[in-house]
Amino acid sequence: MVTFGRPKREIDEKFMNVYRIWKERCLTATAATQAIGMTRTTFYRWVNGYEAAQNASH
């Protein structure tokens, strides 16, 4: 099977730390994305995916 494109990044410790701070409303989404080096769209996609996974496991 041929795979195209860049390999997907996994949710890591850095994202989780920034996510927690952002969720506590101590950090803006713009500052959060700059801290972890991703676009706002990708950040929100990761947030939605993480929160969906958390809700599914409960």
Side-chain angles (χ1 to χ4, degrees):
M1 182 164 128
V2 178
T3 306
F4 295 99
R6 177 182 291 184
K8 292 189 178 207
R9 282 177 52 185
E10 297 292 325
I11 291 179
D12 57 7
E13 184 86 19
K14 192 172 184 182
F15 171 81
M16 291 306 304
N17 291 335
V18 170
Y19 169 78
R20 286 186 201 104
I21 296 168
W22 171 78
K23 199 67 174 173
E24 294 170 357
R25 297 188 176 266
C26 296
L27 194 64
T28 64
T30 301
T33 60
Q34 289 173 350
I36 54 181
M38 64 175 57
T39 64
R40 286 175 58 97
T41 304
T42 303
F43 178 73
Y44 282 118
R45 187 180 321 123
W46 280 34
V47 167
N48 291 334
Y50 174 72
E51 290 177 350
Q54 292 300 307
N55 290 335
S57 67
H58 288 266

